[in-house]
Amino acid sequence: MGRILGRVEYRETELVRYFIHDDTSGWSMPPLFINSAEAWDAYDSGEGKALRETVPKQSTHVRVIRKVLAHGLIFAVSGETYGEAVFGLATDDRLLYPLSTGGEEAPMCFLKSAGIFHVAEELDGGFDGFYDHPLCADRWQWSENDERIAFEELHGKPLDLCPRCVEVLMTKR
């Protein structure tokens, strides 16, 4: 299986974090490392299980990230990346979304409703088409004032997310 290096960027002024991506399956492994050498050392010591054990899941501070992949084990000095950058969500120690490069995950975005930012997943409503549904709600009554916001619009900005959405997001990863 082909493994490549991935990087998440929180803001221009912050450090980046690194992860291992399985290019064969198209899925990224969630643990994030401060440097790429640590990521490869952990992976070489026992693959996925070793990655998770090396970086315990502790952070619950969710931020918008920019996710990029290298062409191999390191990033090119030229800045060239493998494919296009995508925006998603991460904590300091876990990549939360997107993990898949093949579109196996339901698309996500923010949904601002009554002044509260929710993390929303796109669901198939059958004949009614697709709609955004907050992770925190079993049922959701859409309002004309609800606003769909793409992750890239809030990259590098502080987030005040619905605590229940954060809790659900943490249990998914």
Side-chain angles (χ1 to χ4, degrees):
M1 290 191 224
R3 302 290 194 268
I4 59 178
L5 186 63
R7 179 175 71 209
V8 297
E9 303 163 349
Y10 298 96
R11 284 188 214 160
E12 300 290 329
T13 59
E14 290 186 6
L15 293 174
V16 298
R17 297 288 190 258
Y18 297 91
F19 60 92
I20 305 296
H21 179 77
D22 181 342
D23 198 36
T24 305
S25 72
W27 287 86
S28 300
M29 297 175 201
L32 295 174
F33 294 83
I34 292 172
N35 66 59
S36 59
E38 280 183 353
W40 286 120
D41 289 346
Y43 177 78
D44 290 342
S45 72
E47 298 185 11
K49 184 178 180 194
L51 291 172
R52 286 175 180 83
E53 290 173 355
T54 303
V55 181
K57 188 194 299 189
Q58 296 176 333
S59 177
T60 58
H61 183 119
V62 177
R63 295 187 277 179
V64 176
I65 51 95
R66 183 176 176 264
K67 175 185 172 184
V68 293
L69 299 173
H71 280 281
L73 302 179
I74 58 172
F75 280 92
V77 175
S78 67
E80 182 182 354
T81 60
Y82 177 53
E84 295 293 317
V86 294
F87 289 88
L89 300 172
T91 63
D92 290 343
D93 54 31
R94 288 290 182 274
L95 175 61
L96 300 172
Y97 175 86
L99 294 180
S100 167
T101 56
E104 289 87 4
E105 297 170 286
M108 293 178 110
C109 66
F110 291 122
L111 183 65
K112 186 176 180 182
S113 179
I116 298 171
F117 283 95
H118 296 275
V119 178
E121 194 170 45
E122 186 178 271
L123 298 179
D124 186 350
F127 292 115
D128 294 333
F130 291 89
Y131 65 98
D132 298 314
H133 184 89
L135 296 179
C136 65
D138 291 329
R139 294 179 183 240
W140 184 257
Q141 187 66 26
W142 184 265
S143 166
E144 64 183 36
N145 295 324
D146 290 351
E147 180 183 1
R148 183 183 206 275
I149 301 170
F151 290 140
E152 55 263 28
E153 292 182 49
L154 296 177
H155 183 242
K157 297 178 182 168
L159 294 176
D160 187 17
L161 293 177
C162 161
R164 178 70 181 117
C165 283
V166 171
E167 183 181 316
V168 172
L169 196 56
M170 294 296 113
T171 60
K172 290 179 99 176
R173 302 288 183 236

